[in-house]
Amino acid sequence: VVNVINDTVEALKSRLKERAPKAETDADVFQTIFSASIREDLAAVRLAAVEVAKTNNVIRGMYDRQKLRPELQTELQGIWPGPQPAPKRARRLA
């Protein structure tokens, strides 16, 4: 059973690294794999996803615009600052 799990984790890590350069067209694939690694507590795959995200401008842009799944936004706050909320408009006093 352990060998099957290890083989599955290695396959997911390899797939994630292969697909990373195509993240612009495969952002959904990245999110699916990263989200599953969080849900299933696959630390090795999760770390690989964070490493991919560190150098991927498409993923960073999605993070900055808060277009990633909520659990991914939270996980990536470990490597990037949290997105800044839009400034509030000042109210006029009458």
Side-chain angles (χ1 to χ4, degrees):
V1 173
V2 173
N3 288 339
V4 172
I5 292 171
N6 287 337
D7 290 345
T8 302
V9 168
E10 287 303 316
L12 285 170
K13 284 177 22 182
S14 296
R15 186 74 171 150
L16 180 64
K17 289 177 182 179
E18 286 172 18
R19 303 289 294 256
K22 304 177 214 162
E24 191 166 318
T25 56
D26 291 336
D28 287 339
V29 173
F30 174 83
Q31 290 192 80
T32 299
I33 292 171
F34 195 8
S35 183
S37 72
I38 293 167
R39 183 178 59 251
E40 300 301 324
D41 196 26
L42 301 172
V45 177
R46 208 159 127 192
L47 288 173
V50 169
E51 289 301 314
V52 166
K54 281 181 181 179
T55 58
N56 190 295
N57 293 331
V58 173
I59 300 301
R60 176 62 192 259
M62 291 176 71
Y63 173 82
D64 289 340
R65 293 186 312 276
Q66 298 183 13
K67 298 294 182 184
L68 295 172
R69 295 177 185 177
E71 66 272 23
L72 307 185
Q73 288 285 144
T74 301
E75 190 75 19
L76 293 173
Q77 285 180 3
I79 60 170
W80 296 319
Q84 300 300 315
K88 294 184 178 180
R89 297 178 80 190
R91 290 196 299 173
R92 281 183 98 155
L93 298 174

